[in-house]
Amino acid sequence: MSIDQSTAAKVAKLARIKVEDDALPALASEFNTILGFIEQLNEVDVEGVEPMVSVEPMRLKRREDVVTDGNQQDKVLANAPDAREGFFAVPKVVE
């Protein structure tokens, strides 16, 4: 696949990047270089290779999914400019 200058201009417009007309040949060349590298990667035989999330095999720590209130009401309300009866107090905006 090859990218010409008009396609490079369309990609730049979609990405909302202002590219001058004299810079379009260089941009198209860069796109073609990137696509060439991707084509090289497609040639690699990955049959039997498991997908990886990280270079280092690891498992995430699991925790029990329990809903709690956090037991931090006082700490949260300490940041409020106005708190009443355990809730944030806000000014009335609708009459």
Side-chain angles (χ1 to χ4, degrees), residues 13-93:
K13 183 178 179 184
L14 289 172
R16 298 180 189 262
I17 299 171
K18 183 178 180 181
V19 178
E20 301 297 331
D21 290 339
D22 59 337
L24 283 175
L27 182 62
S29 175
E30 284 184 45
F31 284 153
N32 286 321
T33 303
I34 292 168
L35 289 175
F37 181 69
I38 291 171
E39 287 176 7
Q40 266 186 318
L41 290 175
N42 285 334
E43 295 174 5
V44 176
D45 181 22
V46 294
E47 191 67 33
V49 177
E50 291 292 320
M52 296 172 33
V53 177
S54 172
V55 178
E56 189 70 28
M58 63 180 140
R59 297 201 45 99
L60 296 175
K61 295 178 182 177
R62 304 284 184 195
R63 64 170 172 79
E64 192 173 330
D65 193 12
V66 178
V67 178
T68 67
D69 65 356
N71 294 327
Q72 297 185 13
Q73 182 181 22
D74 295 334
K75 289 180 183 178
V76 171
L77 291 177
N79 294 321
D82 188 10
R84 297 181 196 151
E85 300 176 17
F87 296 97
F88 287 97
V90 295
K92 187 175 183 181
V93 293

